Amino acid sequence: MGPAVGWARPGRFFGVYLLYCLNPRNRGRVYVGFTVNPTRRVQQHNGGRKKGGAWRTSGRGPWEMVLIVHGFPSAVAALRFEWAWQHPHASRRLAHVAPRLRREAAFAFHLRVLAHMLRVPPWARLPLTLRWLHADFRCELCPPPPPHVPLAFGPPAPGSSASRCHASTFADTEPDAEACCSLCASALQDEEGPLCCPHPGCPLRAHVICLAEEFLQEEPGQLLPLEGQCPGCKNSLLWGDLIWLCQMGTKEEEEDLESEEEHWTDMLET
């Protein structure tokens, strides 16, 4: 069975975050949400409903965004993860997770649920990143995340840096030369967002589907690769790293994503 063909264009940021309330009257409350722009989203939560925040967080701040899971292939995939994290008792994939204990803090419970979510399908095979935004809140998850899910710290890098990475990959290509996939030799269309090996000097440029099929030769029963050997330089590569490093964000695309986030937020809260 080949890889899934509905993979989103590399570079689109979809994240599911955990807020922690710092207000002494509500300290310890948490909130799980979806975003395409973490910095903007936490500002909205702290600004209340009039600034685009959720009604569940309005008037109860300040809120701190303490961690975010990102790397989802689409908004729908991230929203499904968000819903399951919010309602673990209603998700058949999390039926094995024990309910919140009487004296268990909401923060600890949500981390416990998250730890199990990262270990069960379909999320166990997604190229996700677990990012702690504030070191003071960092805790070890039990069970720990899968080996292919890296831990990151601090805010996500802006999309512009990844755009420069992608642009530099083609710096040595002549303007009139037609770029071709290293695996199938077919032309690479700009809108397809070819994957490029991050190792210096490696010439690999490939369609997402072509490289996925190459990586999945060792796991023929799977739809989504976790890692593989670069056909160009033979170095080991994580699929999630390729998706993240070769993204193609633009200012216009970021604005479209923010509008999409507002659409989903409004729809889920009505």
Side-chain angles (χ1 to χ4, degrees):
M1 185 179 295
V5 296
W7 191 259
R9 175 181 172 182
R12 304 189 67 177
F13 184 96
F14 302 108
V16 179
Y17 58 86
L18 183 66
L19 294 183
Y20 184 89
C21 184
L22 301 178
N23 188 323
R25 293 180 301 173
N26 302 294
R27 192 173 184 86
R29 283 181 179 242
V30 297
Y31 177 86
V32 173
F34 156 78
T35 188
V36 300
N37 187 326
T39 301
R40 171 178 169 271
R41 191 63 186 138
V42 73
Q43 292 173 350
Q44 289 177 321
H45 280 295
N46 285 320
R49 287 288 288 169
K50 292 183 179 180
K51 298 294 184 179
W55 69 267
R56 292 185 181 88
T57 60
S58 183
R60 296 184 173 92
W63 295 87
E64 195 80 79
M65 188 177 290
V66 297
L67 70 85
I68 187 166
V69 179
H70 59 88
F72 296 95
S74 67
V76 172
L79 287 163
R80 287 174 175 167
F81 188 92
E82 176 200 29
W83 183 89
W85 198 1
Q86 291 172 339
H87 310 92
H89 58 284
S91 173
R92 60 183 177 83
R93 300 184 187 279
L94 300 174
H96 63 289
V97 180
R100 182 179 171 184
L101 304 177
R102 182 182 296 272
R103 296 186 178 181
E104 187 176 24
F107 182 68
F109 173 65
H110 279 74
L111 291 186
R112 179 159 63 86
V113 172
L114 174 62
H116 286 281
M117 291 182 69
L118 295 175
R119 283 285 184 175
V120 299
W123 308 302
R125 295 199 64 83
L126 293 182
L128 302 177
T129 294
L130 174 60
R131 180 175 297 274
W132 290 95
L133 301 175
H134 290 275
D136 293 344
F137 289 90
R138 181 190 173 187
C139 300
E140 296 296 331
L141 298 188
C142 184
H148 70 277
V149 175
L151 289 180
F153 304 91
S160 58
S161 63
S163 298
R164 290 193 296 271
C165 171
H166 179 270
S168 65
T169 306
F170 292 90
D172 297 330
T173 303
E174 296 181 6
D176 295 331
E178 183 178 42
C180 295
C181 173
S182 301
L183 299 176
C184 73
S186 298
L188 293 169
Q189 302 298 325
D190 290 341
E191 65 272 13
E192 291 180 345
L195 296 185
C196 310
C197 179
H199 290 93
C202 181
L204 178 74
R205 292 174 292 182
H207 296 114
V208 175
I209 295 299
C210 291
L211 193 56
E213 290 177 343
E214 177 75 15
F215 281 11
L216 285 173
Q217 289 183 13
E218 300 297 325
E219 298 181 285
Q222 299 295 336
L223 297 175
L224 188 67
L226 296 178
E227 59 183 327
Q229 186 181 67
C230 173
C233 65
K234 307 305 180 184
N235 283 300
S236 179
L237 299 172
L238 287 175
W239 183 255
D241 288 346
L242 290 172
I243 296 296
W244 178 251
L245 291 173
C246 298
Q247 61 183 331
M248 298 172 61
T250 64
K251 181 175 179 58
E252 292 76 12
E253 186 177 50
E254 290 172 4
E255 292 173 350
D256 290 342
L257 290 176
E258 290 174 0
S259 297
E260 184 176 348
E261 176 189 305
E262 292 173 357
H263 165 74
W264 284 110
T265 301
D266 292 342
M267 190 172 70
L268 292 172
E269 294 197 348
T270 55

